[in-house]
Amino acid sequence: DFRSQLVETWCKALVEYKIPHTPGCKIQSTIKDDVLLRSWKLCELPQDNHSLENGIIMDQARRYSLFIDPQGQANKFIKNMGKQAKFAENGLDVIKLSDKTFLRTLENGVRFGKWVLLENVGEALDASLETLLLQQKFRQGGQEMIKIGDSVIPWNDSFNFFITTKLPNPHYPPEVCVKVSLLNFAITFSGLEDQLLGVTVVEERPDMEEKKNSLVVANARMQNELAEIESTILRLLKESTGNILDDVVLIETLANSKATSEVINAKVAEAFTTEKEIDVNRELYRPVAFHVSILYFCISDLSIVDPMYQFSLQWFTNLFVQGCRRAEPSEDFESRLQNLKDFFTYYLYCNICRSLFEKDKLLFSCLLCTKLMLGAGTLDPAHLRFLLTGATAVDLPKPNPFGSWLSDKAWGDLLELDGVSGLEGFLDKVFMNNAKGWSDVIDSNTPAAEIAELTKPVTTNDFAVLCVTRAIRPDVVIPEIQLYVANQMGSKFIEPPQLVLQVCFDESRCTTPLIFVLTPGADPMTSLIKLAEEVNKMKTMTAISLGQGQGPLAEKAITEAQEKGYWVCLQNCHLSVSWLPTLERICEELNPDEIHKDFRLWLTSEPSPHFPAYILQNGIKMTVEPPKGMRASLNGSWFKIEESFLESCSKTHIFKKLLFGLTFLHATLIERRKFGPLGWNVKYVFSGPDMSICMDQLKIFLDELEEGGAVPYAALAYLAGECNYGGRCTDDKDRRCLVNVISQFYTPQILDDGYKFSPSGIYYAPPEGKIEVYREYVKTLPYSEGPEVFGLHDNANISCALAETAALLDTMQSLQPQTGGGAGKSWDETLREIAVDIAGKIPEEYDVEVALLDFPVRYDECMNTVLVQELIRFNRVIAKVSSSLYEVQRAVKGLVVMSGELEDMGNAMVIGKVPKLWTAVSYPSLKGLGGWVSDFLRRLDFLRDWFKAKCPPPRYWVSGFFFTQAFITGTLQNFARKFKIPIDLCDFDFAVLNPKEEQGALKKGPATGAYVHGLFMDGARFNVEEHYIDESMPRVLFVLMPHFHLWPKAKKDIDGIAGRLELYTGSIAGTAHVYNCPVYKTSERKGVLLTTGHSTNFVMWMRIPMSQHHTQIHWVKRGVAMLTSLD
């Protein structure tokens, strides 16, 4: 590490400048005090070299220590030292910046000579600490004083001050660093390995560890005796008067000390030899410690994925001890080591999986597999880096020769793959020589086997084949990763164990909180009540739903339960953020000697960044999620419906049909979420109570219906679509989709036994019967459903798979150490190259003053104002990109401080992401770094061409605008001013140009309005021959649209759209048979409504012709939209 490199540099300098020194000197060997080190060990200072050096620096430094302490090791060490009078003679006070008595406690510590530990600081320290950190003492009345805040306090030399932060990678500014001794107490890999080696030996060979510890104690005692002898001799020499030879006491002491020191030295030498032998035997267990250390670093950063995924080092160590005791014994030493590694790996996997949401379990399996393989040297880091990031080049080094069937992104990945170790020559030897075979892979239903066969001339390495799959067919990466993990580690690592509440209860103690981590719609109380009944705790369990004013009641219940051994369940902890610090304090104070052994504290909470880390790290976490899939969702709904309710309605036949339709609707609305923006723009939390209210309303309406009266389908649909489910919809496009989906179920046709919910005919409302009829029908449904049941195209599965792949790989990348770039280069080198490359492409800012002269504000030409405003916006982006690239290059050279902002920027660029620093001032875009830069330069060229031409272009690249809505408004305003019509009485009609009209649009613009190009259709395609919207081609997700004519007209001259008002598709009186298609800037679709009334993503509605046999409902359920920019 850096500290070792520094010491090595100093040693070389000592030799170079011929300074007398002990060869091989280090911090420990030069400054350490064995007796003091032994005392520190008793105070639980970790015994790895890095931690010992931290202790020595802390002890010797003149400035107060600030510990970077994410695992809490320094915190525990200081607190243990504070309990011993030989260190903190007046005791220790622990404070936080949030404490009300923070300053008073600090002042008392200085006044009375106490130690003070300031915990959990952030990246900024309180200004009142400055005089204390700088130790700005002064004399007043013959006594040393110091000013803290507004108070002048007498100084006590016994005072000591320590600061700790739990931030794993804080960025303290230089003005803080110069005031403190900044020490990184975060566990290092070698440090953890040394600690776990000690734990392993204690469990496997307690005799050996005990012998080593006794030797350490004996050595320390003997060294202490030698030090005392030397001190006695020096004291007697100092006190001696006259001739030294006449001092009998001194002579006898010297004689005795010589004999004693010879005996001690002999014993020390003997102990040293014995200790060496023990160390050799201890080293035999190092492979286990190495393996287990890798496992810890697999879980240490999971909190980046979700704030609830926090695990302490102490918890991990205790789990490892249990694993050692449960692992299968063996007489053969090597077999025993393997048993320890295999058992604990799976034991950890099971314990962690119950704490993870379903979406993150494969992520964890993949992390385990790749990190263990990297540790064993069986996985090339370059392969892993490519799998996670793909191509990071800004430009394509070679043009794509297969543009008709291969995307530019895939071609860029292949070009980068060609340079990855083990795949050199892939492009020429394998891909270019068999383009037909690879084009077949693009459309294949079994691409993995074909890719493996085609890559055999270059490699047979399974992970290398996975990299090729990632480049060519990213939609099948997830199942291939599952297969790879199963082959490397066993299928049990991709089959997470089911949560068994009894097992979690058996593993808990009275001091262990049990935490249910919830997703919306999940209900753990049923399982908890069942467990309470089984262990005879139901009568003594108190359940409290936290909220305003419930904190004191919860505290009182916990106090009573601790004394009597009751259970307490605190629900919805995330809703009581202000009380969570009190809950943390209660859990920290749980003492097994003071509370009843049967006491248990159960907590339920949705993921929250405010949930106390102490509880998460030391509790047992269990994730609870609602069932996934249509079959499981329907099964859950019908399990909750009781026979009495089903038979309670007076209109039994109608009620049962509509009730089944309602449960199917509920499942449909929930499961559409997995398709991302094709399903819903915003991921809504449709819950069980939404369905329950609709069920009750359905029964009430039917019960009150007169015999022979018409069923109020419209009213029922309105209540569901606008109130119960619709009340959650914040996006008007989602509301349109919702009411159109509901119309499929609240319809008279549902009463017909032949009415099907999907084209396949699998899904329908069963004929009237008892409740078992419906439950049995649900059990016959397939476990996984296709997109057709939701009204989506089969391509939606590909979109879903691509999104899952991107999410998994991006999350894995965020958990990788940011230490290196690609092609064996360092992080600094890679960043410098990318920064120089991009900086060389960014042009100068536009001259806005010249633009104002060439494009003055004119009443009849709003495009002048649109252009100037666009230039100003893009100038802001150019300035930010250029300045940040300049600063990051200087930071890499060490000329300026590498701030947190610049470090984040560098990390993003190295892995091919756009820095947040740029996106904050830029237009919406989901492209990677290379695509973003190319797109940015193309936008600049579009505006520059317009600027140079000094007149509006005949057609506009609508994707090139920063603020597209300004262009649209300007176009409409030009028409309104030209024909003197109020702008609020004007709107757009649209015409899709045919190929001949497109050719004309290249030379001359329209008389009114504007020709635009650059739109992409998502979820469908435009049939150019038939001139209407049509179904997507297989595996073609996005299609470039023809040119459009934005045709401003007076509203009275625009034909109304044929449709239904209640479905937001038009009106019955409308005559235009078109699909009203939403246009978005990115495929994410969701946006934020700005104060101007515009969305950050939605652009406008555009009319697209439909064929006569289609209605808008079909395309609304398909999720069809147009985009100005692809990912």
Side-chain angles (χ1 to χ4, degrees):
D1 61 2
F2 179 71
R3 200 178 281 174
S4 300
Q5 294 173 13
L6 205 58
V7 172
E8 190 177 326
T9 305
W10 291 341
C11 289
K12 288 180 180 177
L14 290 173
V15 174
E16 183 182 345
Y17 295 112
K18 299 179 181 178
I19 299 172
H21 65 283
T22 304
C25 56
K26 295 180 181 178
I27 293 177
Q28 273 185 259
S29 58
T30 307
I31 309 177
K32 75 172 181 178
D33 179 337
D34 288 330
V35 179
L36 185 61
L37 290 184
R38 175 61 191 167
S39 301
W40 285 348
K41 183 176 182 181
L42 295 174
C43 293
E44 297 189 54
L45 175 70
Q47 292 303 289
D48 59 280
N49 288 334
H50 188 78
S51 298
L52 291 174
E53 288 172 0
N54 282 340
I56 291 168
I57 295 170
M58 174 201 75
D59 186 56
Q60 299 288 328
R62 289 174 294 172
R63 289 177 288 190
Y64 296 126
S65 299
L66 195 167
F67 299 105
I68 299 170
D69 188 35
Q71 286 86 25
Q73 297 188 113
N75 226 33
K76 183 187 289 186
F77 169 54
I78 298 298
K79 287 179 178 178
N80 288 335
M81 285 178 68
K83 295 174 184 176
Q84 299 191 22
K86 66 177 180 179
F87 291 119
E89 57 187 85
N90 298 312
L92 170 75
D93 285 333
V94 181
I95 56 174
K96 296 183 177 70
L97 286 174
S98 56
D99 292 348
K100 293 179 181 177
T101 59
F102 152 66
L103 269 180
R104 187 179 303 167
T105 306
L106 193 58
E107 290 169 6
N108 288 337
V110 174
R111 180 180 284 111
F112 299 117
K114 288 187 171 186
W115 281 16
V116 177
L117 170 61
L118 176 59
E119 293 183 312
N120 302 345
V121 299
E123 291 188 343
L125 298 182
D126 195 285
S128 60
L129 295 175
E130 183 165 355
T131 55
L132 185 62
L133 295 177
L134 294 173
Q135 301 181 34
Q136 292 177 339
K137 296 176 281 186
F138 57 91
R139 284 202 167 270
Q140 182 175 312
Q143 185 177 8
E144 279 193 314
M145 311 288 284
I146 191 168
K147 187 174 182 180
I148 301 177
D150 295 327
S151 305
V152 177
I153 311 296
W155 181 264
N156 190 315
D157 286 334
S158 297
F159 169 76
N160 208 346
F161 188 43
F162 307 92
I163 308 173
T164 62
T165 177
K166 285 192 174 182
L167 299 174
N169 187 27
H171 290 85
Y172 288 108
E175 55 269 24
V176 171
C177 296
V178 298
K179 296 172 189 171
V180 297
S181 177
L182 191 61
L183 294 173
N184 190 355
F185 241 98
I187 192 74
T188 61
F189 186 88
S190 58
L192 180 60
E193 188 181 342
D194 288 344
Q195 290 183 39
L196 291 174
L197 178 61
V199 173
T200 310
V201 175
V202 165
E203 290 300 315
E204 296 296 299
R205 292 288 304 275
D207 56 320
M208 188 192 299
E209 191 66 13
E210 187 178 344
K211 190 174 182 181
K212 179 174 175 61
N213 286 337
S214 62
L215 281 174
V216 171
V217 173
N219 279 344
R221 189 185 68 251
M222 289 186 288
Q223 295 287 354
N224 199 20
E225 287 178 12
L226 282 175
E228 287 178 1
I229 289 170
E230 290 174 2
S231 298
T232 303
I233 292 170
L234 289 172
R235 179 176 56 79
L236 290 173
L237 284 170
K238 181 182 178 183
E239 294 173 354
S240 177
T241 57
N243 192 344
I244 293 176
L245 297 175
D246 295 335
D247 192 332
V248 178
V249 176
L250 178 58
I251 298 300
E252 288 179 354
T253 303
L254 284 169
N256 292 336
S257 66
K258 183 181 179 183
T260 305
S261 62
E262 286 175 354
V263 172
I264 289 175
N265 285 330
K267 287 182 179 179
V268 168
E270 183 183 345
F272 182 76
T273 305
T274 308
E275 192 173 354
K276 281 287 184 186
E277 292 174 0
I278 292 173
D279 285 343
V280 169
N281 289 324
R282 286 176 90 245
E283 285 298 311
L284 297 175
Y285 291 94
R286 188 165 289 278
V288 174
F290 178 79
H291 181 90
V292 176
S293 299
I294 293 174
L295 297 181
Y296 174 75
F297 283 99
C298 289
I299 68 170
S300 61
D301 292 330
L302 284 177
S303 59
I304 296 172
V305 180
D306 192 286
M308 306 300 273
Y309 298 166
Q310 297 198 42
F311 308 91
S312 68
L313 179 58
Q314 183 64 46
W315 174 86
F316 179 83
T317 305
N318 292 339
L319 194 72
F320 177 52
V321 169
Q322 294 175 30
C324 290
R325 294 170 183 173
R326 294 187 183 187
E328 184 182 346
S330 176
E331 294 297 324
D332 181 63
F333 182 75
E334 291 299 326
S335 298
R336 173 61 180 169
L337 293 185
Q338 194 59 45
N339 290 347
L340 285 172
K341 290 192 283 188
D342 292 345
F343 178 83
F344 183 67
T345 303
Y346 187 63
Y347 188 48
L348 178 72
Y349 173 75
C350 293
N351 274 272
I352 297 295
C353 270
R354 72 183 177 204
S355 308
L356 303 179
F357 292 118
E358 202 65 38
K359 65 183 179 65
D360 297 321
K361 290 178 180 177
L362 178 60
L363 165 72
F364 181 56
S365 299
C366 204
L367 273 176
L368 284 178
C369 180
T370 53
K371 283 192 178 286
L372 287 172
M373 289 180 69
L374 286 170
T378 55
L379 174 61
D380 189 335
H383 289 176
L384 177 61
R385 182 181 180 279
F386 178 84
L387 180 71
L388 300 183
T389 63
T392 57
V394 175
D395 295 319
L396 289 177
K398 300 178 184 176
N400 180 6
F402 309 109
S404 59
W405 55 269
L406 186 70
S407 68
D408 284 348
K409 187 176 186 305
W411 175 248
D413 284 344
L414 291 174
L415 290 174
E416 184 135 336
L417 190 66
D418 194 49
V420 173
S421 58
L423 286 163
E424 298 93 341
F426 166 81
L427 209 58
D428 293 331
K429 296 178 184 176
V430 174
F431 193 81
M432 302 298 285
N433 289 341
N434 192 3
K436 176 65 172 64
W438 287 102
S439 67
D440 293 341
V441 168
I442 296 294
D443 298 319
S444 172
N445 292 324
T446 56
E450 295 177 26
I451 290 172
E453 187 65 31
L454 288 169
T455 53
K456 276 184 179 178
V458 174
T459 182
T460 55
N461 181 288
D462 288 344
F463 204 91
V465 173
L466 193 58
C467 291
V468 178
T469 306
R470 186 236 193 275
I472 297 290
R473 286 292 300 273
D475 55 304
V476 297
V477 164
I478 295 287
E480 289 308 303
I481 285 179
Q482 288 177 316
L483 185 62
Y484 184 82
V485 172
N487 290 339
Q488 294 296 324
M489 301 183 68
S491 59
K492 62 184 180 181
F493 283 93
I494 59 168
E495 298 168 358
Q498 293 296 313
L499 174 66
V500 181
L501 203 54
Q502 181 69 52
V503 173
C504 298
F505 171 69
D506 293 340
E507 290 180 3
S508 69
R509 299 192 304 155
C510 57
T511 56
T512 312
L514 295 108
I515 309 129
F516 290 108
V517 185
L518 311 177
T519 53
D523 180 21
M525 290 307 294
T526 306
S527 302
L528 181 57
I529 290 170
K530 184 179 178 183
L531 175 66
E533 289 172 346
E534 289 174 358
V535 298
N536 200 27
K537 283 289 180 183
M538 189 61 219
K539 293 180 181 178
T540 59
M541 183 174 78
T542 304
I544 298 174
S545 183
L546 290 180
Q548 190 172 8
Q550 297 300 302
L553 295 177
E555 197 166 354
K556 183 180 178 182
I558 292 171
T559 303
E560 182 184 357
Q562 288 177 355
E563 297 173 359
K564 300 180 179 179
Y566 294 168
W567 285 10
V568 175
C569 177
L570 303 182
Q571 298 170 274
N572 301 322
C573 294
H574 60 285
L575 299 180
S576 188
V577 173
S578 61
W579 190 74
L580 289 179
T582 305
L583 178 62
E584 182 177 27
R585 175 183 55 77
I586 291 170
C587 293
E588 285 177 345
E589 294 172 356
L590 291 177
N591 187 337
D593 300 327
E594 297 175 0
I595 59 179
H596 198 287
K597 63 180 179 64
D598 291 337
F599 166 72
R600 291 294 184 277
L601 178 61
W602 302 83
L603 308 171
T604 75
S605 175
E606 291 184 11
S608 168
H610 305 291
F611 201 91
Y614 176 86
I615 300 176
L616 292 172
Q617 291 177 357
N618 295 280
I620 292 176
K621 298 181 288 297
M622 302 154 285
T623 52
V624 183
E625 298 179 86
K628 295 283 194 303
M630 293 293 293
R631 185 181 190 271
S633 184
L634 284 167
N635 201 30
S637 296
W638 280 92
F639 177 77
K640 293 175 184 175
I641 295 173
E642 297 179 359
E643 178 88 41
S644 58
F645 179 77
L646 185 67
E647 304 293 342
S648 64
C649 183
S650 57
K651 312 293 185 299
T652 310
H653 174 68
I654 300 173
F655 179 65
K656 289 181 179 179
K657 282 283 188 180
L658 286 173
L659 183 64
F660 190 88
L662 178 58
T663 58
F664 200 92
L665 165 67
H666 181 72
T668 301
L669 299 182
I670 290 174
E671 293 305 314
R672 276 186 75 97
R673 285 187 306 203
K674 69 183 177 185
F675 296 102
L678 285 173
W680 304 110
N681 290 353
V682 180
K683 289 191 174 182
Y684 301 106
V685 182
F686 298 119
S687 60
D690 297 331
M691 181 177 67
S692 300
I693 294 169
C694 288
M695 288 165 58
D696 292 339
Q697 289 171 343
L698 174 64
K699 182 177 180 303
I700 292 168
F701 272 68
L702 293 181
D703 281 339
E704 293 180 355
L705 187 66
E706 295 179 2
E707 195 65 38
V711 178
Y713 293 106
L716 290 168
Y718 182 86
L719 286 171
E722 302 291 345
C723 302
N724 303 332
Y725 288 106
R728 297 186 183 276
C729 281
T730 55
D731 187 290
D732 58 333
K733 276 69 68 179
D734 283 339
R735 187 181 296 274
R736 182 179 72 153
C737 179
L738 173 66
V739 296
N740 278 275
V741 171
I742 288 174
S743 69
Q744 179 185 1
F745 300 97
Y746 282 125
T747 172
Q749 295 170 293
I750 198 172
L751 303 181
D752 181 2
D753 286 341
Y755 180 67
K756 308 296 182 185
F757 294 151
S758 71
S760 65
I762 298 173
Y763 303 95
Y764 54 87
E768 182 185 351
K770 297 292 184 182
I771 196 165
E772 289 306 319
V773 171
Y774 300 95
R775 290 175 176 171
E776 288 302 317
Y777 166 71
V778 169
K779 290 178 182 177
T780 66
L781 297 177
Y783 283 95
S784 59
E785 62 285 338
E788 56 97 21
V789 70
F790 306 103
L792 294 165
H793 191 274
D794 285 345
N795 283 353
N797 268 343
I798 300 172
S799 298
C800 184
L802 288 172
E804 287 179 354
T805 299
L808 176 70
L809 299 183
D810 284 350
T811 308
M812 274 194 70
Q813 176 57 49
S814 70
L815 298 174
Q816 302 302 310
Q818 309 290 351
T819 54
K825 297 173 185 173
S826 70
W827 185 88
D828 288 358
E829 291 171 333
T830 306
L831 176 57
R832 189 185 298 114
E833 284 184 11
I834 296 172
V836 169
D837 183 26
I838 297 175
K841 293 180 170 66
I842 303 299
E844 294 290 325
E845 294 180 30
Y846 297 109
D847 193 329
V848 176
E849 292 185 4
V850 173
L852 286 168
L853 294 173
D854 291 342
F855 296 89
V857 176
R858 282 171 46 190
Y859 179 81
D860 62 326
E861 185 52 88
C862 295
M863 288 298 113
N864 287 3
T865 305
V866 170
L867 174 62
V868 172
Q869 290 178 350
E870 285 291 300
L871 297 181
I872 293 171
R873 293 187 187 101
F874 275 100
N875 273 353
R876 194 179 303 127
V877 184
I878 293 172
K880 176 58 74 174
V881 171
S882 300
S883 63
S884 58
L885 286 172
Y886 175 70
E887 287 299 313
V888 83
Q889 290 180 67
R890 295 183 69 210
V892 168
K893 294 175 183 176
L895 300 177
V896 295
V897 174
M898 178 70 80
S899 65
E901 198 175 53
L902 289 177
E903 186 178 359
D904 290 343
M905 174 183 168
N907 288 336
M909 291 173 66
V910 167
I911 61 172
K913 305 289 184 187
V914 183
K916 290 181 181 177
L917 203 61
W918 299 355
T919 57
V921 297
S922 182
Y923 44 84
S925 176
L926 300 179
K927 294 179 181 291
L929 181 62
W932 187 90
V933 171
S934 300
D935 177 65
F936 180 55
L937 296 176
R938 191 180 167 201
R939 290 175 189 241
L940 297 181
D941 289 341
F942 163 64
L943 293 177
R944 185 169 285 105
D945 292 343
W946 184 354
F947 189 5
K948 288 181 179 177
K950 297 187 179 182
C951 63
R955 59 175 189 155
Y956 295 90
W957 180 42
V958 73
S959 306
F961 289 101
F962 190 113
F963 187 47
T964 318
Q965 290 92 333
F967 162 72
I968 293 165
T969 304
T971 304
L972 195 63
Q973 201 159 20
N974 275 349
F975 171 81
R977 289 176 175 177
K978 182 176 180 180
F979 295 97
K980 296 181 172 54
I981 303 172
I983 193 169
D984 57 335
L985 297 180
C986 303
D987 207 345
F988 283 108
D989 200 357
F990 302 90
V992 184
L993 304 190
N994 59 39
K996 184 178 179 181
E997 290 170 331
E998 281 190 7
Q999 290 300 315
L1002 297 176
K1003 301 174 183 177
K1004 185 181 179 181
T1008 59
Y1011 293 139
V1012 297
H1013 67 102
L1015 291 172
F1016 300 87
M1017 183 164 279
D1018 181 12
R1021 69 183 176 96
F1022 191 80
N1023 189 324
V1024 178
E1025 291 77 18
E1026 300 294 336
H1027 207 72
Y1028 58 63
I1029 185 174
D1030 205 348
E1031 299 292 354
S1032 298
M1033 300 297 287
R1035 299 197 54 77
V1036 180
L1037 304 183
F1038 304 100
V1039 178
L1040 181 65
M1041 289 292 290
H1043 287 45
F1044 275 88
H1045 180 191
L1046 299 190
W1047 198 345
K1049 292 181 180 179
K1051 286 182 178 179
K1052 61 183 178 60
D1053 297 332
I1054 302 174
D1055 294 336
I1057 300 175
R1060 289 166 56 187
L1061 199 62
E1062 68 273 20
L1063 299 183
Y1064 302 105
T1065 53
S1067 65
I1068 297 174
T1071 56
H1073 188 66
V1074 294
Y1075 170 58
N1076 206 20
C1077 182
V1079 181
Y1080 300 94
K1081 293 181 181 179
T1082 69
S1083 63
E1084 187 181 29
R1085 299 196 186 184
K1086 70 176 181 182
V1088 179
L1089 197 63
L1090 300 174
T1091 53
T1092 58
H1094 297 101
S1095 168
T1096 55
N1097 208 332
F1098 175 71
V1099 178
M1100 68 186 304
W1101 295 97
M1102 294 183 78
R1103 300 176 173 206
I1104 303 177
M1106 290 192 299
S1107 68
Q1108 290 302 315
H1109 64 277
H1110 278 142
T1111 63
Q1112 282 203 72
I1113 292 178
H1114 177 77
W1115 301 114
V1116 169
K1117 288 167 65 179
R1118 280 277 198 264
V1120 175
M1122 288 193 292
L1123 313 173
T1124 65
S1125 173
L1126 300 182
D1127 298 356

